[in-house]
Amino acid sequence: MTTDIKDAAAVERRLWDEIEKDQIGMLGVVGGPAHHLQPMTAFVEPSANRLWFFTRNDTDLVRDIGAGHTAMFVFQQRDFRACVGGRLTVRQDRERMDRYWNAVVAAWYPEGKDDPHLTLLSLDCDDAQVWISQAGPMRFAWEIAKANATGHTPDLGARAEVRFN
């Protein structure tokens, strides 16, 4: 999929589409005691510039969030990479729980949606850094060979900044 890196609306649309399609990324609290991101499944709500995550209310991540905390969600695919920043909060939202509940989520919560430890996290997105590679395998090989022969940096794509608010 080709995206004009200078078209902010197209980059934002691609960001939401890519996360919705593949969902898995790494989520973590900025400056939190855990100091590590962890794999999470994201559910996108582009109209609100928001990502949702199912988790347990007794995890280190929930403890680190407290009443709300700055967080990052890192998403990587072969030709698309993004780091989304925003405010992460713990939310009890039955409507969204019902909307995003599926067989994969259910596997983690044997007691279902009534599991007393089940909760949602909401990442209200402020901004994102996005890297898009427009190079397939042949162009990648060409750019690497050309860079090694000429001493110039390979041209494999570009970076864009997305501001949601």
Side-chain angles (χ1 to χ4, degrees):
M1 174 188 311
T2 303
T3 304
D4 180 358
I5 203 80
K6 294 179 180 121
D7 181 346
V11 172
E12 182 177 341
R13 223 175 8 262
R14 173 110 184 251
L15 173 66
W16 292 123
D17 289 348
E18 293 285 343
I19 295 173
E20 184 170 39
K21 182 177 69 174
D22 292 309
Q23 294 185 293
I24 307 300
M26 301 293 286
L27 178 67
V29 171
V30 174
H35 300 293
H36 295 284
L37 290 91
Q38 55 188 283
M40 299 290 282
T41 301
F43 297 90
V44 301
E45 190 177 336
S47 62
N49 299 321
R50 188 172 291 138
L51 295 172
W52 292 92
F53 307 89
F54 286 89
T55 193
R56 292 177 53 92
N57 61 12
D58 57 355
T59 63
D60 292 346
L61 182 58
V62 169
R63 186 193 66 238
D64 290 350
I65 294 168
H69 211 290
T70 302
M72 295 287 173
F73 179 68
V74 177
F75 179 81
Q76 292 187 290
Q77 292 302 315
R78 190 166 114 36
D79 64 346
F80 188 90
R81 292 156 186 88
C83 181
V84 181
R87 184 149 183 87
L88 189 64
T89 55
V90 178
R91 301 270 298 269
Q92 292 298 326
D93 189 317
R94 188 61 182 224
E95 176 194 337
R96 284 179 179 81
M97 197 174 289
D98 290 341
R99 182 186 312 169
Y100 300 127
W101 190 262
N102 61 41
V104 175
V105 173
W108 294 98
Y109 302 96
E111 295 182 50
K113 292 182 228 176
D114 295 322
D115 186 312
H117 292 291
L118 177 63
T119 194
L120 289 171
L121 302 179
S122 170
L123 180 63
D124 292 313
C125 304
D126 293 328
D127 58 13
Q129 292 290 317
V130 175
W131 293 264
I132 300 174
S133 172
Q134 310 286 9
M138 294 299 289
R139 177 154 175 223
F140 178 83
W142 168 252
E143 288 291 333
I144 296 302
K146 184 173 80 171
N148 283 311
T150 65
H152 292 95
T153 305
D155 179 14
L156 296 170
R159 179 182 68 84
E161 186 170 329
V162 176
R163 295 238 176 249
F164 297 106
N165 299 321

